[in-house]
Amino acid sequence: MTERLVDRLRGRRVGVALSSAFFGFYAHTGFVRALHAAGVRPAGYSGSSAGALTAAFAAADALDRFVGLLGGLGRSDFWDPTFPIGRPPGLLRGDRFAALLRAHLPLRDFEDCPTPLVTVATDLTRGVRHVDVRGEIVPAVHASCALPLLFRPVARFGGLHADGGIVDKIPLRALTDAVALDVVVAHLLPSHGLARPLPRSPFGLLDRALDVARDDGWRHQVDLLRARGIEVHVITTTPTRITPFTMSRGAGAIERAERATAEALHGAVRTG
């Protein structure tokens, strides 16, 4: 038996989990816009890294504001280089990025969000996943987006916090631990390293191994949720490759992900 995914979601408590991906917040924005256009009103959002950034604006009911921000975003808005000599080092201080969030996020705390928000960071000091569901949003999102070597880690709760995607590519379990849900729809932006030929350099092989581990991790979480009786659908879109030097492609990335998601939502899924 088959039915359209969008029909499968209607009338149920739907959670949205957004994956980590370098500058993937453009594609995630298109994904969430497609959900809203299809009449899906999520009961909770979670995200790691770029996913945490989009999830924060969506949970604050400020996605349109985020689209406006992205439309005028320039490298100078967050680019504050410093000598990368800290422990661990980072090219950017991150102060401008945090200030940008404070200027545009309309809410201060997780508890203020109309829809529950869950973000994940990596506590480098303790070597554990750190899940945020309360307190100030900006430090949590800043930490979740603090890609090692690009951003300095964020000092929080007695530790140094960095990119959530290090330990949690798609924070599925964190979302369902915090919010009662019937079904989760995840947006996966695949790691570019998994699509490339096997690298030959030691550092390339290390990056490939980390990508494999992260990919395996979210798949295990899917199995865990399904064992709990929670339905999971993973929509994968191929993102436009964007860097701090090619953000002019952002509008196209949003539109491309929105079209691909709309097609997936109106496609058939097997049930029963």
Side-chain angles (χ1 to χ4, degrees):
M1 177 179 178
T2 61
E3 63 179 302
R4 296 189 311 169
L5 176 57
V6 66
D7 295 328
R8 186 78 182 162
L9 300 178
R10 288 193 177 121
R12 306 175 74 190
R13 296 174 297 180
V14 179
V16 171
L18 306 177
S19 76
S20 63
F22 189 56
F23 275 72
F25 41 81
Y26 291 102
H28 285 320
T29 299
F31 174 81
V32 177
R33 286 179 62 167
L35 289 177
H36 290 178
V40 178
R41 293 294 176 261
Y45 291 93
S46 71
S48 288
S49 194
L53 178 58
T54 305
F57 278 90
D61 198 19
L63 195 67
D64 289 343
R65 180 183 293 205
F66 189 46
V67 172
L69 168 62
L70 294 180
L73 188 65
R75 183 162 55 95
S76 61
D77 292 321
F78 61 87
W79 202 258
D80 53 358
T82 185
F83 291 107
I85 56 176
R87 284 190 173 181
L91 172 64
L92 304 180
R93 287 189 294 270
D95 296 341
R96 286 191 180 182
F97 177 65
L100 192 70
L101 294 180
R102 290 193 178 91
H104 291 276
L105 265 173
L107 304 176
R108 179 179 182 273
D109 295 327
F110 281 76
E111 294 88 341
D112 299 329
C113 291
T115 307
L117 170 65
V118 180
T119 66
V120 173
T122 303
D123 186 333
L124 299 175
T125 304
R126 298 175 179 84
V128 296
R129 172 190 293 104
H130 180 93
V131 178
D132 281 290
V133 295
R134 61 180 61 86
E136 288 191 62
I137 300 172
V138 169
V141 173
H142 181 190
S144 188
C145 292
L147 182 68
L149 300 184
L150 180 61
F151 282 106
R152 282 185 174 176
V154 180
R156 307 175 70 222
F157 307 117
L160 290 176
H161 289 196
D163 196 303
I166 297 172
V167 292
D168 212 344
K169 175 73 177 177
I170 314 177
L172 296 159
R173 193 183 77 180
L175 175 61
T176 56
D177 285 347
V179 185
L181 300 168
D182 302 312
V183 57
V184 174
V185 181
H187 187 212
L188 170 65
L189 299 176
S191 301
H192 286 282
L194 294 178
R196 297 171 183 163
L198 186 66
R200 297 183 178 182
S201 70
F203 288 111
L205 287 171
L206 177 60
D207 285 342
R208 179 63 165 257
L210 291 173
D211 284 341
V212 170
R214 285 189 287 261
D215 195 65
D216 189 61
W218 73 258
R219 294 180 190 278
H220 278 298
Q221 290 189 48
V222 169
D223 292 339
L224 174 64
L225 266 59
R226 288 174 175 164
R228 292 179 179 175
I230 300 171
E231 194 172 315
V232 182
H233 299 278
V234 179
I235 296 177
T236 303
T237 65
T238 304
T240 303
R241 182 66 172 165
I242 297 176
T243 73
F245 303 94
T246 60
M247 289 185 291
S248 60
R249 303 174 185 173
I254 293 174
E255 293 173 3
R256 182 179 179 182
E258 189 168 3
R259 288 196 304 270
T261 303
E263 290 176 4
L265 288 171
H266 289 87
V269 293
R270 186 172 296 277
T271 63

